[in-house]
């Protein structure tokens, strides 16, 4: 009996301590209190008296670091946040499935971006961070004014190929001009002006303008050939050559270890590995500086910068692709002067029509290892066409090379068709065989 009374007393004492803690001025939180009661209904909800809820909510509100929100507002915000999180998860799961409804997927991605933006609870700056006066200048320009493509950008023509070096467009902002020629290695403060951010922007404009010019000039070229021409125009070697022609070497500020400004006092061990072989460092730096200058011209002139740079680059690039422009005009004139030569347009089909028949096999296979184009570095393939039939076994009829296997095979077929004497022999065999088959069918 004594033990029972002692146990009841302990329980009453424990309950008093719980009530005292709940009503005290300590920083007791809602979940802390409900966790101490141990009272849970079948749904996991705590059963508390109305006055206890008011006490706990009052303490929760008081201890929320100066927040003026009451319990109802807290619950409302938490509920909204939970719904947003659930909606975001639902959208992510939906986008993982391939529905085929591109419009719906686009709307879902838009809503997902909006939810992420609201969740960050910070003004959106489109992912850009600026730490210096020059960077602030870059950020201050209106994207709508700077990012639009040139209004008029006509194709290249032989008449428009520049015979002399085009005049360099001016940068209308002195700070941006200085930044375009300043390497980050010569400034003490990492946030100071340098060409690194400008180079990134200029690279995008070079790709845009070159793509537009190439697509409007070489209208019959497949995308692969167009990409090869663009690579020739925007690669570091080409841009560094332009930078030298405009004497950017005298204007650029770089660390002394760079080969084109390196003094005899510069320690050899301080020269980075990529700057030691074949002036690679100088080419990379000058290419970057050229891209930065393009961006500086555009950003310093939001109204006319894109147009000025586009016309300048069109004229400058015309000197690099002059031969290709002449060739394209010659091909265009030939197309207009006569009907297309179907024999050349589809030499493979023509070869089958000329010598192919039942039991005769014409196949195409690699005839040599893959090589590299000396100008662009792109692969060059060599394919040969072989004949099995008409008394021949794996006989090579022709061979061709191109920057794609399909074109290489087409060139091989054209070479085979060019051998009129051999084709005539197989053509006669084909005619005799076909005539015999027709006679056999007629007698049957």
């Amino acid at each position: 009996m004594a033990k029972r009374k002692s146990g009841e007393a302990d329980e009453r004492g424990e309950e008093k301590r719980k009530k005292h803690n709940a009503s005290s001025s300590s920083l007791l939180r809602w979940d802390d209190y409900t966790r101490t009661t141990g009272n849970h209904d079948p749904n996991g909800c705590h059963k508390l008296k109305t006055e206890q809820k008011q006490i706990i909510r009052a303490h929760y509100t008081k201890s929320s670091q100066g927040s003026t929100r009451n319990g109802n507002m807290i619950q409302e915000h938490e509920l909204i946040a939970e719904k947003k999180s659930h909606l975001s998860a639902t959208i992510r799961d939906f986008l993982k499935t391939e529905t085929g409804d591109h419009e719906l997927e686009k709307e879902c991605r838009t809503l997902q971006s909006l939810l992420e933006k609201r969740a960050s609870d910070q003004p959106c700056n489109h992912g850009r961070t600026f730490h210096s006066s020059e960077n602030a200048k870059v950020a201050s320009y209106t994207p709508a004014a700077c990012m639009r493509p040139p209004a008029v950008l006509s194709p290249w023509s032989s008449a428009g190929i520049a015979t002399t070096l085009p005049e360099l467009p001016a940068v209308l902002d002195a700070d941006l001009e200085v930044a375009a020629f300043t390497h980050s290695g010569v400034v003490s403060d990492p946030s100071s002006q340098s060409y690194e951010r400008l180079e990134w922007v200029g690279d995008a404009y070079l790709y845009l303008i070159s793509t537009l010019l190439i697509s409007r000039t070489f209208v019959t070229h497949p995308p692969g050939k167009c990409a090869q021409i663009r690579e020739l125009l925007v690669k570091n070697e080409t841009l560094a050559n332009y930078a030298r022609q405009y004497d950017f070497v005298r204007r650029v500020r770089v660390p002394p270890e760079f080969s084109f400004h390196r003094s005899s006092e510069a320690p050899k061990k301080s020269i980075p590995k990529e700057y030691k072989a074949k002036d690679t460092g100088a080419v990379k730096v000058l290419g970057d500086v050229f891209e930065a200058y393009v961006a500086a011209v555009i950003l310093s002139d939001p109204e006319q910068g894109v147009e000025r740079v586009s016309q300048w680059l069109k004229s400058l690039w015309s000197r690099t692709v002059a031969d290709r422009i002449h060739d394209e005009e010659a091909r265009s004139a030939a197309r207009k002067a006569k009907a297309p030569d179907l024999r050349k347009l589809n030499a493979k089909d023509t070869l089958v029509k000329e010598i192919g028949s039942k039991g005769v096999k014409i196949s195409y296979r690699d005839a040599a290892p893959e090589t590299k184009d000396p100008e662009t570095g792109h692969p060059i393939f060599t394919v040969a066409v072989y004949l099995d039939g008409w008394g021949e076994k794996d006989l090579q009829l022709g061979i061709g090379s191109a920057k794609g296997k399909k074109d290489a095979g087409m060139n091989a077929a054209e070479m085979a068709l060019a051998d009129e004497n051999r084709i005539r022999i197989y053509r006669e065999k084909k005619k005799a065989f076909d005539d015999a088959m027709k006679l056999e069918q007629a007698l049957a």
Side-chain angles (χ1 to χ4, degrees):
M1 179 67 69
K3 291 182 179 180
R4 181 178 179 182
K5 289 183 179 180
S6 176
E8 291 176 352
D10 290 340
E11 290 178 0
R12 287 194 298 271
E14 180 66 18
E15 187 65 22
K16 288 181 180 180
R17 282 193 296 274
K18 291 179 180 178
K19 291 182 179 181
H20 172 73
N21 291 336
S23 59
S24 67
S25 59
S26 63
L27 301 180
L28 184 63
R29 302 300 179 118
W30 171 266
D31 54 349
D32 294 331
Y33 178 83
T34 54
R35 190 164 51 248
T36 60
T37 62
N39 273 332
H40 298 275
D41 63 12
N43 295 324
C45 298
H46 301 291
K47 294 181 178 180
L48 296 173
K49 296 179 180 180
T50 304
E51 60 270 23
Q52 291 173 328
K53 292 182 180 180
Q54 292 174 348
I55 292 172
I56 301 304
R57 284 177 180 170
H59 283 290
Y60 183 92
T61 305
K62 182 178 180 180
S63 62
S64 296
Q65 297 180 355
S67 173
T68 59
R69 297 178 300 175
N70 58 32
N72 291 334
M73 292 179 64
I74 293 171
Q75 289 183 347
E76 181 180 353
H77 284 298
E78 289 176 348
L79 180 61
I80 293 174
E82 183 180 356
K83 288 182 177 180
K84 287 182 178 180
S85 176
H86 179 70
L87 179 58
S88 297
T90 303
I91 293 175
R92 284 195 300 271
D93 293 341
F94 174 77
L95 291 176
K96 291 178 181 178
T97 62
E98 297 182 0
T99 63
D101 192 336
H102 300 299
E103 286 295 325
L104 181 58
E105 291 177 1
K106 181 179 179 182
E107 294 295 333
C108 286
R109 289 192 178 90
T110 302
L111 179 57
Q112 186 181 37
S113 300
L114 179 60
L115 289 172
E116 292 174 353
K117 176 181 176 182
R118 294 287 177 85
S120 66
D121 197 27
Q122 294 179 352
C124 179
N125 61 357
H126 304 287
R128 296 175 298 176
T129 314
F130 303 97
H131 302 288
S132 67
S133 59
E134 175 266 330
N135 291 334
K137 286 178 179 293
V138 176
S140 66
Y141 293 102
T142 306
C146 293
M147 291 303 295
R148 60 171 179 258
V152 178
L153 192 59
S154 57
W156 278 304
S157 66
S158 57
I161 296 176
T163 56
T164 59
L165 188 66
E167 182 180 356
L168 187 69
V171 179
L172 305 185
D173 186 288
D175 292 337
L176 288 176
E177 185 172 14
V178 170
F181 292 100
T182 303
H183 189 275
S184 59
V186 300
V187 294
S188 56
D189 184 358
S191 65
S192 298
Q193 300 180 21
S194 70
Y195 62 69
E196 290 181 354
R197 180 175 294 274
L198 290 173
E199 172 261 326
W200 181 70
V201 175
D203 178 72
Y205 277 108
L206 287 168
Y207 264 80
L208 170 64
I209 297 170
S210 62
T211 301
L212 291 175
L213 281 169
I214 293 167
S215 65
R216 294 176 184 179
T217 303
F218 305 98
V219 294
T220 61
H221 280 23
K225 286 188 176 180
C226 290
Q228 291 167 6
I229 298 174
R230 182 177 64 188
E231 177 64 21
L232 172 64
L233 297 179
V234 302
K235 65 180 182 178
N236 280 329
E237 290 78 5
T238 301
L239 302 183
N241 183 45
Y242 295 153
R244 288 190 175 95
Q245 292 181 54
Y246 285 107
D247 205 19
F248 281 4
V249 174
R250 293 183 178 275
R251 303 174 64 179
V252 66
R253 299 169 57 210
V254 294
E257 60 263 25
F258 285 85
S259 57
F260 58 98
H261 268 183
R262 178 155 45 93
S263 63
S264 58
E265 292 80 10
K268 293 183 179 181
K269 291 184 179 180
S270 67
I271 303 173
K273 181 179 179 181
E274 62 269 26
Y275 302 148
K276 291 182 180 180
K278 297 183 180 180
D279 204 25
T280 303
V283 170
K284 178 66 169 65
V285 169
L286 290 177
D288 291 347
V289 168
F290 186 88
E291 292 172 340
Y293 191 88
V294 167
V297 174
I298 292 173
L299 295 177
S300 68
D301 185 4
E303 293 300 323
Q304 298 296 325
V306 174
E307 189 66 30
R308 289 198 296 130
V309 165
S310 298
Q311 297 303 326
W312 167 55
L313 290 175
K314 178 185 177 182
S315 181
L316 182 62
W317 277 332
S318 69
R319 295 155 58 90
T320 303
V321 294
D323 292 341
R324 289 177 170 83
I325 295 172
H326 288 302
D327 292 343
E328 179 64 22
E329 288 189 348
R331 284 192 295 268
S332 178
R335 288 193 297 268
K336 294 178 181 179
K338 60 179 181 179
D341 186 351
L342 296 179
R343 185 186 182 91
K344 284 188 173 294
L345 288 180
N346 203 337
K348 289 184 177 181
D349 290 347
T350 303
L351 185 61
V352 172
K353 184 178 179 180
E354 290 285 342
I355 65 174
S357 188
K358 184 178 180 180
V360 176
K361 181 182 178 182
I362 299 174
S363 59
Y364 295 84
R365 300 196 303 271
D366 292 340
E370 178 184 320
T371 59
K372 296 291 185 181
D373 187 305
E375 281 190 354
T376 64
H378 292 287
I380 295 179
F381 302 94
T382 302
V383 175
V385 56
Y386 299 89
L387 172 66
D388 285 283
W390 310 133
E392 308 291 356
K393 179 65 176 178
D394 205 30
L395 175 66
Q396 181 177 302
L397 299 178
I399 188 170
S401 298
K403 295 176 181 177
K405 287 193 175 184
K406 182 178 179 180
D407 291 338
M410 198 71 71
N411 292 337
E414 288 181 7
M415 181 179 178
L417 291 169
D419 190 348
E420 289 288 349
N421 293 331
R422 175 185 284 176
I423 293 298
R424 183 173 63 253
I425 294 173
Y426 298 138
R427 189 187 298 125
E428 291 173 355
K429 290 184 177 183
K430 169 184 168 66
K431 184 177 183 303
F433 178 78
D434 291 345
D435 290 344
M437 291 294 293
K438 290 179 181 178
L439 180 61
E440 183 179 341
Q441 291 175 0
L443 293 176

